[in-house]
Amino acid sequence: MVSFKNLLTAGLLASSAVAAPHGHQHRHIEKRSSTKRGAAYNDVSAVQALGSNGSISWAYDWNMLASGTLPSGVEFVPMLWGSKMFGGWLSAIETALASGSKYILGFNEPDNSGQSAMTPSEAAQAYKQYITPYSGQAKLVSPGVTNSGSAGQGLDWMNTFLQSCTDCGISDLAVHWYGNSAEEFKTFVNQAISFASEKGLESVWITEFALNNDISTGASSSESEQFLSEVLPWLDSQPMVARYAYFMCANNYLISGSGLTSAGNIYVS
C-alpha cells in the first residue's frame, strides 16, 4: 500500500476551496442507524456535517487531541500516532480520558515506511510503555496496519507484534484497507475477523478504508456511492466489526463545504 496520509496535509485542506456542491439537499434517504460509524477528520468543524443527525458515534484525527469540539454524542478516540508524539502523550491522554474517551488507538501504520514505521518489537515495547498503563481506564486498540499481503506488513506484521505483546492489554484489532471493489474489501475484512478471533480479540475496527480511485482523484465519485451502498449494511451486520471510518471527513470526499457530497449522504443515511 502506498502512503495516503500525504493527503492529510495543508495540500488537501487547500484543495477544499474548489469543492462544488452535489445537490444533495434534494435527496431524502431514510436514516440507517449505526453505532459503528465514525469520522476520520483533520478539521474538527467538518465533522458537524456528518454528525449533526446522529449518524456517527465516534471520531478521530490521527492525533491525541480532538483539536476542537465534536458534535454532541460523538466520542473522541485519541491515537498515539507514533514516536513523534511520545513527548506530549501523557498529558494529552489524561485530558482525553477525563473528557470521556473510552478507547485508545495504537500507532498509525507501523508496517508502512511512510507512516509510523516501527518494527513489531519496537512497537510492542512502545505500546507497553505508553498505552498499556491505561488498561482498565480505557479499552485498548491495536496499531492500525495496512491491508498489504507482503511479508512483514499487514496482518503478518500484526501477528509478530502480538507475539511480543501478549501482556499489552489489547482488546480490539485495527486495520486499514484501500482497494478496488466491495468484494475485495469484504474478503479482507473477513480475513481480519478470522485473525482477531484466532488471537482472542473482541472485535475489528476498520479505521481507514476507501477505493483507490477516491485517493488517486482526491474525491469521491459514483463508484464510491455504489461501494458504500453495498458495504455499509454489510459492515453493520458483522458482529465482529465494532467500528469503522471511511476515508475521510474532508472536502471532496464525504464533505462539500458545510454540507455533504453524494457519497457523504449515503454514509450518514
Side-chain angles (χ1 to χ4, degrees):
M1 170 183 153
V2 297
S3 174
F4 297 113
K5 258 65 70 192
N6 60 324
L7 295 174
L8 306 178
T9 62
L12 171 62
L13 298 177
S15 70
S16 66
V18 300
H22 285 63
H24 60 274
Q25 61 268 33
H26 301 297
R27 296 181 65 190
H28 174 74
I29 306 174
E30 184 179 352
K31 180 177 177 292
R32 180 178 58 246
S33 178
S34 172
T35 59
K36 302 180 180 185
R37 197 168 307 143
Y41 71 95
N42 283 139
D43 179 358
V44 70
S45 65
V47 183
Q48 188 63 41
L50 284 185
S52 59
N53 71 345
S55 296
I56 62 170
S57 63
W58 68 285
Y60 83 105
D61 60 351
W62 294 271
N63 203 341
M64 50 196 177
L65 300 169
S67 301
T69 303
L70 289 166
S72 176
V74 176
E75 175 194 356
F76 174 66
V77 180
M79 169 188 279
L80 180 52
W81 187 94
S83 59
K84 70 180 184 181
M85 292 187 176
F86 289 169
W89 174 248
L90 295 180
S91 60
I93 191 59
E94 292 290 351
T95 297
L97 294 175
S99 299
S101 295
K102 298 176 178 63
Y103 296 87
I104 300 173
L105 291 170
F107 315 123
N108 188 69
E109 297 189 0
D111 60 321
N112 181 350
S113 61
Q115 293 302 308
S116 62
M118 306 166 81
T119 67
S121 60
E122 288 171 343
Q125 181 178 0
Y127 200 102
K128 291 175 188 177
Q129 180 176 353
Y130 292 103
I131 300 179
T132 298
Y134 298 99
S135 177
Q137 298 181 59
K139 298 193 78 170
L140 310 184
V141 185
S142 77
V145 293
T146 70
N147 59 304
S148 171
S150 299
Q153 297 181 323
L155 293 177
D156 184 62
W157 184 99
M158 184 64 70
N159 184 56
T160 305
F161 166 79
L162 290 175
Q163 289 172 354
S164 299
C165 222
T166 56
D167 56 348
C168 287
I170 295 170
S171 63
D172 304 277
L173 172 70
V175 294
H176 297 170
W177 179 88
Y178 293 92
N180 299 307
S181 71
E183 286 308 307
E184 283 182 22
F185 176 70
K186 292 177 184 179
T187 296
F188 173 71
V189 173
N190 279 326
Q191 290 173 348
I193 289 171
S194 296
F195 179 89
S197 296
E198 291 168 4
K199 298 299 181 181
L201 300 175
E202 295 177 11
S203 69
V204 174
W205 292 36
I206 305 101
T207 49
E208 289 182 34
F209 70 106
L211 293 172
N212 284 332
N213 186 62
D214 289 17
I215 305 303
S216 62
T217 61
S220 60
S221 64
S222 59
E223 185 183 2
S224 319
E225 297 168 36
Q226 294 166 3
F227 173 79
L228 287 170
S229 294
E230 179 171 349
V231 303
L232 293 179
W234 182 80
L235 286 170
D236 290 340
S237 73
Q238 301 303 306
M240 276 287 287
V241 174
R243 286 183 169 182
Y244 58 81
Y246 197 63
F247 188 92
M248 63 178 290
C249 181
N251 265 296
N252 301 323
Y253 288 91
L254 296 176
I255 305 300
S256 178
S258 60
L260 301 170
T261 62
S262 295
N265 245 313
I266 291 171
Y267 192 67
V268 302
S269 67

